[in-house]
Amino acid sequence: MSRNEWERGIITLPASEFAKVRQAVQQGETAHKEQVFELSQEFWKGLNRKQQTDPGEYLKAGQQFIAAKDRERIRAFVPGRNTETDKTRDKLLDDLSEALELDGYARRPARVLKTDMDFPTNRTTDFNAGYGEVIFDKKTNQVEWIVEENNNAVEHAHAHPVANAFFDAVSKVRWTRGTGGVFTGNDEYRREASYEGGASNYVTTAFGPVGADEAPDNCRPFIDSKGKATTQKDLDAVGRAKTLAMFEAQRKAQEAYAKSVKASGAQPRGHNGHAGQYTYRSHGEPTFRL
């Protein structure tokens, strides 16, 4: 289904984990680009002289090569068994098409060189994940995930090999107090909601202690630096505690309001002007502790 969507957020990593995560993403991008490069060489070696010199013939051959590889991908697809591998292969062909410059314009044919692939180095901090982007900041030990709004952009970004490497590395982090984070997003259908608060941004996923405290219902289970596991059951308990705390805060606020109204002799009125109706919102204090 077509859907314009976006997602972004920042994760604070423990100082001891920052280099590991960045290195894992670098290795993921390198491996992906090596596959793209190998396929580009396979394609070029299979061309005849005319296809290597005539722009129109080169373009036609490139499109046929991509189509043949895509058919191989479809034949190998087994629902429920290699779904993620299939999505990764799909992104591989997308990037191969870009490397071969098969965008519909007939250009002078040229063999793809290693230098054309722009492989990441140990100094790379910005990694491309198709529709997504992973940006590291050593000064703050933070990593930012950005998916700009586009059609099914979040789905496509998460399927990219670089994103796979990133989220896999984050899942292995040993978290410390004050680390982690929350990702938020929105989409065109959500924004069409007419009820109060329905169009607002929402949490898509959360990580580590910060995620457990701010959005336990969306947080992924994790392990802290001492080896202690925070399970889904633990996160569910934190979520229930925060909900109960919010209701208790509302109850106390309503009781205090009713007492003040009674003391003043005024008729209770709510935010909408109707007697006896009032609301109160409270986020409460952090409930998660390592």
Side-chain angles (χ1 to χ4, degrees):
M1 177 184 293
S2 175
R3 178 174 70 175
N4 284 323
E5 57 184 358
W6 63 267
E7 181 182 51
R8 69 185 307 159
I10 295 176
I11 301 173
T12 299
L13 296 168
S16 60
E17 299 281 349
F18 182 87
K20 297 177 186 177
V21 175
R22 199 213 65 83
Q23 184 67 22
V25 176
Q26 178 184 336
Q27 291 173 349
E29 180 172 331
T30 297
H32 173 65
K33 287 188 172 181
E34 285 178 346
Q35 286 185 291
V36 173
F37 179 72
E38 290 173 4
L39 285 173
S40 74
Q41 302 309 293
E42 178 186 339
F43 163 69
W44 184 261
K45 292 176 182 178
L47 299 179
N48 57 40
R49 182 59 181 168
K50 183 174 181 58
Q51 291 169 330
Q52 289 182 350
T53 55
D54 182 271
E57 290 300 310
Y58 172 87
L59 179 61
K60 186 188 302 182
Q63 293 170 339
Q64 291 174 345
F65 184 82
I66 295 291
K69 291 297 180 181
D70 196 42
R71 286 193 294 272
E72 289 180 10
R73 175 184 69 85
I74 294 173
R75 284 196 297 269
F77 175 62
V78 179
R81 183 188 303 175
N82 62 348
T83 300
E84 293 304 317
T85 302
D86 180 70
K87 289 180 180 179
T88 300
R89 186 72 177 179
D90 187 37
K91 299 308 170 189
L92 178 67
L93 296 181
D94 285 346
D95 288 351
L96 174 62
S97 180
E98 182 177 343
L100 297 178
E101 298 187 340
L102 304 178
D103 54 7
Y105 295 94
R107 295 187 176 89
R108 179 177 177 274
R111 183 173 188 163
V112 176
L113 304 177
K114 275 268 188 178
T115 53
D116 297 327
M117 297 305 300
D118 190 24
F119 284 97
T121 70
N122 290 333
R123 304 180 69 176
T124 302
T125 57
D126 193 335
F127 298 87
N128 181 276
Y131 282 82
E133 190 175 8
V134 183
I135 305 172
F136 290 87
D137 186 346
K138 175 58 179 173
K139 293 181 180 179
T140 60
N141 287 326
Q142 292 182 329
V143 56
E144 184 173 12
W145 167 252
I146 302 174
V147 181
E148 299 293 352
E149 184 165 359
N150 211 323
N151 185 33
N152 294 329
V154 176
E155 178 184 352
H156 287 303
H158 278 264
H160 197 279
V162 171
N164 290 340
F166 170 56
F167 287 106
D168 180 63
V170 170
S171 72
K172 299 174 182 176
V173 166
R174 295 296 184 99
W175 302 93
T176 56
R177 182 173 302 194
T179 62
V182 174
F183 289 175
T184 59
N186 212 327
D187 59 74
E188 60 178 309
Y189 298 119
R190 175 88 174 198
R191 286 194 294 269
E192 290 175 358
S194 59
Y195 54 87
E196 181 182 358
S200 60
N201 298 341
Y202 53 88
V203 174
T204 58
T205 187
F207 309 86
V210 171
D213 182 55
E214 296 183 6
D217 293 338
N218 300 91
C219 189
R220 302 183 179 188
F222 61 91
I223 299 176
D224 68 16
S225 58
K226 298 178 181 179
K228 179 184 176 182
T230 296
T231 66
Q232 187 61 55
K233 184 177 180 180
D234 296 328
L235 293 168
D236 291 342
V238 173
R240 287 193 298 272
K242 290 182 75 70
T243 299
L244 290 173
M246 179 187 69
F247 286 152
E248 180 63 13
Q250 291 176 341
R251 185 187 65 78
K252 291 181 178 180
Q254 290 171 351
E255 286 182 351
Y257 176 78
K259 289 180 180 179
S260 66
V261 169
K262 184 177 181 179
S264 66
Q267 178 69 17
R269 305 191 68 83
H271 71 281
N272 58 1
H274 296 295
Q277 297 182 17
Y278 40 82
T279 59
Y280 177 79
R281 293 183 176 86
S282 172
H283 296 291
E285 292 298 318
T287 57
F288 184 82
R289 296 287 186 273
L290 281 179

